[in-house]
Amino acid sequence: MSPGWQDLRQQAQALRERRVGSEELVREHLRRIDEQRELGAFLHVDRDAALQAARAADAARAAGDARPLLGLPLAHKDVFVTRDMPASAGSRMLQGYRSPFDATVVERLRDAGAVCLGKTNMDEFAMGSSNENSAFGPVRNPWDPQAIAGGSSGGSAAAVAARMVPAATGSDTGGSIRQPAAMCGITGIKPTYGLCSRYGMIAYASSLDQAGVLARSAWDCALVLGQMAGFDPRDSTSAQQPAQDYTGELDAPLADATAARPLAGLRIGLPRQWFGDGLAAEVEQPVREALRRMQQLGAELLDIDLPRSELAVAAYYILAPAEASSNLARFDGVRYGHRSRDSSDLRDLYANSRAEGFGAEVKRRILIGTYVLSHGYYDAYYLQAQKIRRLIAEDLRDALVHRCDLIAGPVSPTVAWDLGDKPDPLAQYLADVYTLPASLAGLPAMSLPAGFGSGEHARRPVGLQLVARHFGEPLLLRAAHHLQQASDWHLRSPQD
Ligand code: GLN
């Protein structure tokens, strides 16, 4: 690909200056998708529709259309329903399902001119941290095909890292944008809960689910987020926030900063609990290096405490399954989903359809969820977990109100592990320890490339996590952008 079109920003500029047409751009990306099929990043690619949309974008541009994403290639995580493509959520339960409507996020990005190339692979119903739970096979890491891509938005992360698309949508319930972005060496943003509509996003845990973006840079994330965010009356938890152009202010230094020290005045809190036992040295070292870079740019680093952060895994793995068990009740072979062929009566039909349609991890979560919600255990588990969720959120809020502007730390305690290497579900749950607090608190958070592991992990990327206040996306993106202006971790490509 022409070196001038590496990321979304450059591609948008090349289109504007007529150095390339959307059709050529889309063809090139389709070729890359074809060439790298063994990574398992896509579940569905619609070549003809994409080329047709690209030609229409070229014609529109010739007629003076200047929409921000006009003609730019994009992919959607298969958790978003789409009228013209199937949406499976990585499950046999929904194999071949076509929705009669488009998710709001899909609709808005199309209205902004984006050309959708296809739907990306994911852990079944977004449950997982390694993308090995997809009913349609795992996703491989473009940096090292032995390694997981991370989950549950592993297909979107691998597609962006391997240059099959410059940006893709994802969803994050407990880390599913940030963790695969970190493991694939790209940039990802999970916005504030409620900023992006959940309408048409197949539900996992509704009080946590949030749509977001995976791309190559903070600037690219800002461009796409600005087009998909904003109030939607069709989602009752959608925040009353207008859509916003996040790219406009990215280059501006912070309040008391100068061009040389654009982050001066920014206080970044480092939770002691996120840098303790369990964090691999090969992850800690690059994360601290990236933080030092932010310090050189003027930011002040200070130690903070998030005393209840260690309870996040226990609380989340009660609350998320509880909500999932309720959300997934609709897949009964009658209202939605796969219907078993050989059943003698209605009960049998429900049982067989669900037994055949759901994979092992989804069944495990449904069992945990119904158990913690059941009479007698509700108070002991579900209610306790809700209280802990509140305490964790208060810890984060206290820190962000009284001590610092951003919280920073690692995304994952280790680099991507080998496919098949963590068969124990609990071991995978524990790997979510640093991403869950921001999810439980509904705070916006990003993952930024910060280098690589060491030794035999020299090709396994490491991510830096930044967390901001509610609706603090402008500051979050700006801090991330300034770091990326002064570093080159996000420019590395597995093909270099
Ligand atoms: N790994 C977490 C889980 O399995 C988070 C998944 C997500 O954010 N969708 O639930």
Side-chain angles (χ1 to χ4, degrees):
M1 188 180 289
S2 151
W5 331 331
Q6 292 289 339
D7 59 23
L8 201 64
R9 187 181 196 178
Q10 290 167 347
Q11 291 181 20
Q13 196 178 349
L15 284 169
R16 264 199 314 275
E17 295 170 357
R18 316 286 160 102
R19 282 185 281 119
V20 67
S22 175
E23 183 174 354
E24 188 184 351
L25 206 54
V26 165
R27 259 186 216 288
E28 173 64 20
H29 285 96
L30 287 168
R31 189 182 63 74
R32 290 169 166 241
I33 292 173
D34 254 359
E35 255 175 30
Q36 302 179 85
R37 251 186 265 158
E38 73 290 350
L39 292 177
F42 277 83
L43 293 179
H44 183 83
V45 177
D46 196 336
R47 204 186 157 77
D48 294 342
L51 288 169
Q52 202 184 332
R55 284 190 287 267
D58 286 336
R61 187 176 298 281
D65 189 341
R67 278 173 291 161
L69 298 179
L70 185 64
L72 290 166
L74 203 80
H76 290 299
K77 183 176 181 177
D78 208 29
V79 77
F80 294 99
V81 301
T82 35
R83 236 180 342 188
D84 52 0
M85 289 186 199
S88 72
S91 182
R92 206 178 307 284
M93 186 53 102
L94 281 173
Q95 190 164 12
Y97 170 71
R98 267 179 204 254
S99 163
F101 63 92
D102 283 319
T104 298
V105 158
V106 169
E107 190 177 65
R108 288 192 178 166
L109 291 173
R110 185 192 308 105
D111 289 349
V115 175
C116 175
L117 305 196
K119 306 292 289 286
T120 58
N121 201 351
M122 58 181 281
D123 280 306
E124 185 173 5
F125 287 105
M127 298 177 190
S129 310
S130 67
N131 223 119
E132 293 166 292
N133 296 338
S134 166
F136 309 110
V139 179
R140 294 179 177 275
N141 194 310
W143 289 94
D144 179 349
Q146 291 282 92
I148 58 159
S152 66
S153 313
S156 287
V160 172
R163 307 293 186 266
M164 298 183 221
V165 275
T169 55
S171 69
D172 191 310
T173 303
S176 279
I177 288 175
R178 289 161 284 162
Q179 190 252 26
M183 289 182 169
C184 289
I186 60 165
T187 305
I189 182 163
K190 173 204 101 75
T192 306
Y193 179 78
L195 187 76
C196 292
S197 171
R198 288 186 297 112
Y199 182 73
M201 192 165 90
I202 297 168
Y204 163 17
S206 311
S207 77
L208 296 151
D209 294 344
Q210 177 55 212
V213 191
L214 299 99
R216 294 210 41 211
S217 66
W219 200 96
D220 289 0
C221 284
L223 176 64
V224 179
L225 183 64
Q227 298 303 315
M228 65 194 253
F231 178 66
D232 177 10
R234 292 173 296 188
D235 169 4
S236 62
T237 56
S238 173
Q240 300 272 355
Q241 295 272 330
Q244 197 177 338
D245 173 12
Y246 295 105
T247 59
E249 307 233 300
L250 281 188
D251 285 310
L254 306 184
D256 28 335
T258 60
R261 289 165 59 83
L263 298 183
L266 185 75
R267 296 163 306 161
I268 304 180
L270 313 185
R272 286 189 185 85
Q273 291 78 3
W274 295 11
F275 288 91
D277 285 349
L279 177 60
E282 63 176 339
V283 173
E284 178 168 359
Q285 197 259 327
V287 166
R288 289 211 187 265
E289 174 63 32
L291 288 167
R292 260 195 300 278
R293 195 68 62 91
M294 294 186 90
Q295 197 175 26
Q296 287 160 5
L297 296 173
E300 179 194 345
L301 305 182
L302 43 114
D303 289 327
I304 61 166
D305 274 304
L306 295 176
R308 269 93 46 130
S309 157
E310 275 145 350
L311 302 174
V313 175
Y316 173 88
Y317 278 98
I318 288 173
L319 297 172
E323 293 187 32
S325 72
S326 165
N327 274 326
L328 270 51
R330 73 190 70 170
F331 300 104
D332 58 10
V334 179
R335 289 174 297 171
Y336 284 99
H338 165 80
R339 179 178 297 182
S340 174
R341 283 180 195 285
D342 44 10
S343 303
S344 50
D345 58 25
L346 187 62
R347 260 190 100 79
D348 226 31
L349 176 80
Y350 290 153
N352 292 341
S353 299
R354 286 168 72 81
E356 293 164 15
F358 289 136
E361 184 59 27
V362 173
K363 286 177 185 159
R364 180 178 298 117
R365 308 249 181 138
I366 292 174
L367 289 173
I368 295 172
T370 46
Y371 181 80
V372 300
L373 288 175
S374 61
H375 181 72
Y377 294 106
Y378 180 90
D379 289 354
Y381 294 106
Y382 182 74
L383 216 55
Q384 285 293 100
Q386 287 288 27
K387 290 178 181 168
I388 290 175
R389 177 179 187 174
R390 169 59 67 92
L391 295 173
I392 290 170
E394 276 172 9
D395 284 353
L396 285 154
R397 202 201 48 209
D398 276 356
L400 288 167
V401 169
H402 300 298
R403 307 277 335 261
C404 52
D405 305 298
L406 296 176
I407 294 173
V411 174
S412 171
T414 66
V415 294
W417 52 88
D418 284 351
L419 281 154
D421 215 29
K422 273 200 212 276
D424 173 14
L426 188 59
Q428 296 215 11
Y429 301 169
L430 289 169
D432 296 339
V433 60
Y434 306 131
T435 50
L436 294 176
S439 298
L440 291 166
L443 295 168
M446 285 188 82
S447 173
L448 308 173
F452 295 85
S454 50
E456 57 180 13
H457 293 159
R459 283 182 64 82
R460 303 218 177 165
V462 169
L464 165 73
Q465 183 176 206
L466 298 178
V467 181
R469 298 181 187 120
H470 287 118
F471 304 108
E473 280 82 0
L475 177 70
L476 179 62
L477 286 161
R478 215 198 286 176
H481 175 68
H482 282 301
L483 172 63
Q484 293 189 333
Q485 292 297 99
S487 60
D488 61 3
W489 295 299
H490 65 295
L491 301 178
R492 305 280 302 271
S493 154
Q495 278 120 5
D496 289 345

